[in-house]
Every structure is written in C-alpha cells, then in structure tokens.
Amino acid sequence: MTDLQDAFSFPDEFDIAPVRLTVDLGALVENWQEMARRSSPARTAAVVKADAYGLGIEDCGTALYEAGARDFFVAVMQEGVTLRSFAPDARIYVLSGIWPGQEPSFYEHGLVPVLASEEQLSFWMSVTAEHGDHPCALQVDTGFNRLGLPLEDAIAFADDVSRPASFSPVLVLSHLHSGDTSSSPLNRQQLEAFRKLAQAYDGIELSLAASAGTLLGPEFHFDLTRPGIAVYGGEALNGVPNPMKPVALAEARIIQIREAKKGETVSYGGTYQLTRDSRLAVVSAGYADGYLRSLSGTGVPLRQTVAEGAHGFVAGRKVPVVGRITMDLTIFDVTDIPSSEIRAGDYVELFGRNIPLDDAARAGGTIGYELLTSLGLRYERRYLYPGD
C-alpha cells in the first residue's frame, strides 16, 4: 500500500462520478425474451450495433448470448470482431457488408456479410471463388431506398444461370421504413413485396421485422426477427404504450445549488428570466455527455414548436431544465423541493425509471435511439446482472 493510499480512503468511483450510467442487464434480457415470445415460432436475433445502442457491446452482448441469443446483427466489421469474443458460436451478421481488404477478418472470425449492392455481390463471389465457401446474407430494398438490391434485380438474380452454384445466402432480409406507424399502408406494401421475394428464394431463411415489425404481428415475422431498440427499453411503435422495461438510467451530480432572484436570467444568452425567487441546481452533464442542447428549457429553436424542455427527477419530483444546456452543465429549477431534501452531491436522473427515455427524447425533438447512442465517454458505468 502506498503512502497516498494510507492517507486517503478511496470510495467507489460510481458513487462520486460526475455523470453515471446504470445498465440493467436483467431488464435487457427480459426485454429480449419478451420479443422472442412475441416472435415465436420465428427465431429472435439481437441487434448490438453502435456499441449495443450506446450501452456496451461486451456486457450487453454477453448477457444476450447467455440468455440464448444465437443470431446477432452489428453495423460494421469491427463490432463483429469484438462481439465474437463474447459469443463464440453465434452467427454474426454485418449489416454494412464487406469491403476489399476485410476478407481475412470475415473468414477468421466467422462473420456473415450482408450484401446490399451489385458491387458487393460481385466482389463477394470473387472472394469465395478464391478462398472457398463462406456464408453471406442478401439485403433487398422493398421500398426504403436505403441499402439493398432493387426488388426486381434480386428476384432475377435468384434464377440467374450465371450465378455460381456454390453461392447461396443463408438469409434474405429487408427493412420496414414505416414500421413504427402501425396504421401506415406502406407496411402492407412492403410486406407484399417481400412475399414476392420469398417465393424466389424458397428454402432460404427470411427476415423483415426489426422491433416495430415484430410488434406489428406474426405475418411480418418470417424466420428471424431482429429487435433492437425494444430490447434496450425504447419505444418501437408510435402512440402505443411501451411494453418494454427501462434498461438505462443516466444521472448527473449536482455541483451547486444556488439562490437566484425574481427577474434574473439563467444561462447563456439570458433567454430564461425567473418569475419568482428560485433555487437552481447546476449539474455536471451537458451536450458533451449526449444531453442534447435541444433539450434546453429556452433559447433553442425547438422551443418555438415544442413549448416545454426536458425534465429531470430528484428527491421524488420532476424538475424542469431552465435556460440553455451547455457543454458540461445543465441547470434545473428545484425551487419546489424543500431545501432539507436536496443538497450538492445528490444525483438528478436525466432519463431512466422516472423520466422515460423517449419522453426525454421528445423534449429534444428526437428519438430514444439518438439519446442512447449519443452517451459520451464520461459516464461511469455500472452493470446490474440478472438476479442482482
């Protein structure tokens, strides 16, 4: 033990962190199991792209693998290489496909490229001709105009006599662009297009539904569903109560509680003027931590259309953000909380159990996906494991 260690006691870093994030892996697993129940008899994959939606691919991927997930989707090859260490016998699909120079990693780590263009198809066939057969997936555009072969080209490719006999994808997939709106007739249009595709690829597994598509019902499920945001506790369908459990709890520590007089202004630009004598809690989170500037109580363009900014939760009450959120700091009005119930060093919930993720996102004019994947590097993280 060093002299410094003798002189000081060192508390748990989580207990004193300026910003901290609790990830409930038990809730994550329960959400995935609920999506698997709704998907049955189709299999249910786990989407862990973007560092498991900002919550940590290592811990989230391990928990989902141990819960029984054996099909995973990542966005880029590097994510697949990382995941392989925690999911040794899973099938890992890489949604961005493959680029020249990446072939050794795909073969070494058993990654499955999702081919989405004629260029990728041509390149992949040359790779397998040189290095031997390796599984791939084929993405088809059924109306999104994002990634994927055009529908008619994909159908023609299925019967192309020049296609190498050894080339056979293990999965054909597409993606709904309006799945989050259950009443949209465009979902039915894409479903019918995908059914045409299914006839051309008889005997090959099919996947159309992500989180929203899974909740739309069995006819969208096919062989494999791909839930993402729902597993992480976010809303998948607009205007429908969220059946998922919250997974992430983001908190920021109060640095100072200050007194301010009626008529004084708060934060940059003086855009918020106090209408009463107030007590203000200044917390150590800002847009550098993914607590977006658009969540500000005043002084941002969004407040012209969405009147109310974000709220936090502390001492059993919701408290509003006042003034502009800055890079490292946010100010909450805690006037209505008795001074005996709150002090510097306490934590304000930014989103989690009491401030739903998507409610916070809506206050910033965005979606839960963006809040989660914008979490900065400064959060001290704690993972709660199933059974904790």
Side-chain angles (χ1 to χ4, degrees), residues 102-125:
Q102 294 181 330
E103 312 94 287
S105 290
F106 273 82
Y107 274 74
E108 178 183 354
H109 298 284
L111 307 179
V112 181
V114 178
L115 308 176
S117 67
E118 292 285 357
E119 293 85 356
Q120 287 189 340
L121 270 174
S122 177
F123 172 65
W124 183 247
M125 285 189 281

Side-chain angles (χ1 to χ4, degrees), residues 295-359:
L295 294 161
S296 299
T298 55
V300 293
L302 182 64
R303 293 289 79 83
Q304 298 171 21
T305 53
V306 180
E308 195 169 53
H311 286 75
F313 189 88
V314 63
R317 297 169 179 83
K318 288 178 66 175
V319 292
V321 173
V322 290
R324 286 176 176 158
I325 292 170
T326 66
M327 183 182 291
D328 311 299
L329 302 169
T330 298
I331 303 167
F332 291 92
D333 186 338
V334 297
T335 309
D336 294 329
I337 298 178
S339 58
S340 61
E341 297 181 21
I342 187 172
R343 61 183 177 83
D346 289 346
Y347 284 87
V348 174
E349 176 184 319
L350 305 178
F351 59 81
R353 303 182 186 101
N354 302 288
I355 305 292
L357 169 68
D358 291 278
D359 285 358

Side-chain angles (χ1 to χ4, degrees), residues 215-235:
L215 297 176
L216 289 179
E219 59 186 337
F220 289 87
H221 294 170
F222 293 90
D223 300 297
L224 182 69
T225 62
R226 317 185 304 269
I229 190 63
V231 174
Y232 301 96
E235 293 180 8

Side-chain angles (χ1 to χ4, degrees), residues 240-258:
V240 176
N242 185 5
M244 300 294 114
K245 293 186 174 183
V247 172
L249 168 62
E251 299 172 290
R253 203 172 199 193
I254 299 173
I255 301 174
Q256 180 187 30
I257 297 175
R258 57 186 303 116

